[in-house]
Amino acid sequence: MEIRERILNAGRELARLQGFYNMSMDKLAAHAGVSKRTIYRYFRSKEGFIEAVLDEFMEQMAKEAEVARATISEPHLFFAHMSRNLFLRGQFLINNLVLDDLSKHYPHLWQKLDVFRTEQISHTITVLMERTDNRLIKEINPLIFSTMIVACIKAVLNPDFILENQLSFEECVQQMSKLFVAAFYPHEESPGE
């Protein structure tokens, strides 16, 4: 495994266990089995490291979403697939410690994630709307529908809401997925249930 990837993996594991804010470069170096000097060869600062971890996550999720949009036509299957990927690739990100850290200590990085997810969700909703057989959905302006969905996600899947209401990111994603599937299948249980 390449050194940079080993450092990123160690950082994701530490973030999952203790958040980003409590992670020191000394702890990261020890966990990755490299010197602190080696870390600084790849990342200019702790914040630069955190941003690199988030950038890699967003790149992976964007690729996965593109493949899923091209190959999965049913909304409930798309949401299930992307939720699994989010939980698999984003374990370091979706815990309350990291959400709290991003909200309090790295709000500009949370904003970067928010812009990314807004773009991905808007594009996905537009694609799914084009494919649906649901007459009611087809009659809605895609811009209005995707803006409504994004607003719902921003209201629920954000650190403040999750932490203030003592929820988990996973619980919120599962509930939101059910809501979105219900929008595409309003008069029946979603396929597969």
Side-chain angles (χ1 to χ4, degrees):
M1 177 183 308
E2 183 183 316
I3 292 174
R4 184 178 190 278
E5 190 59 34
R6 195 164 88 206
I7 296 168
L8 289 169
N9 286 338
R12 284 189 289 268
E13 178 66 17
L14 283 175
R16 189 180 64 76
L17 297 172
Q18 63 189 32
F20 283 128
Y21 188 71
N22 290 323
M23 179 187 356
S24 69
M25 295 307 257
D26 288 322
K27 289 178 188 176
L28 178 58
H31 201 69
V34 300
S35 70
K36 203 158 85 167
R37 174 179 274 179
T38 299
I39 291 175
Y40 284 114
R41 208 176 303 147
Y42 290 93
F43 309 100
R44 68 186 183 286
S45 64
K46 177 180 172 181
E47 191 170 305
F49 167 76
I50 295 167
E51 187 167 13
V53 168
L54 297 176
D55 285 346
E56 183 180 71
F57 168 75
M58 289 185 286
E59 182 180 321
Q60 290 171 343
M61 290 302 291
K63 286 178 184 175
E64 191 60 44
E66 192 60 38
V67 169
R69 283 189 293 262
T71 59
I72 301 173
S73 59
E74 291 292 326
H76 71 286
L77 296 175
F78 178 87
F79 292 129
H81 176 80
M82 291 307 296
S83 293
R84 278 191 306 275
N85 269 278
L86 176 62
F87 296 127
L88 176 69
R89 297 177 194 275
Q91 285 184 355
F92 74 95
L93 180 62
I94 61 175
N95 71 64
N96 288 2
L97 279 172
V98 171
L99 292 175
D100 189 49
D101 286 350
L102 290 172
S103 176
K104 290 180 182 172
H105 304 290
Y106 309 102
H108 59 289
L109 295 178
W110 173 255
Q111 179 63 33
K112 186 175 184 175
L113 279 169
D114 190 46
V115 167
F116 167 77
R117 74 177 178 168
T118 298
E119 291 169 354
Q120 289 296 316
I121 292 164
S122 294
H123 181 59
T124 297
I125 294 299
T126 300
V127 168
L128 292 176
M129 285 181 73
E130 290 169 357
R131 293 184 187 155
T132 188
D133 293 330
N134 184 319
R135 181 182 50 81
L136 295 172
I137 296 287
K138 288 224 179 260
E139 291 175 3
I140 300 172
N141 179 319
L143 177 62
I144 293 171
F145 191 67
S146 66
T147 301
M148 288 170 38
I149 298 296
V150 167
C152 287
I153 290 171
K154 285 184 173 198
V156 174
L157 295 180
N158 75 68
D160 294 335
F161 179 83
I162 291 169
L163 297 171
E164 286 172 10
N165 293 289
Q166 299 176 349
L167 299 167
S168 72
F169 189 89
E170 185 173 1
E171 177 184 10
C172 292
V173 167
Q174 289 170 347
Q175 295 295 306
M176 296 291 294
S177 292
K178 287 179 182 181
L179 175 67
F180 300 146
V181 169
F184 283 93
Y185 303 102
H187 298 296
E188 57 189 71
E189 289 188 25
S190 68
E193 287 190 20

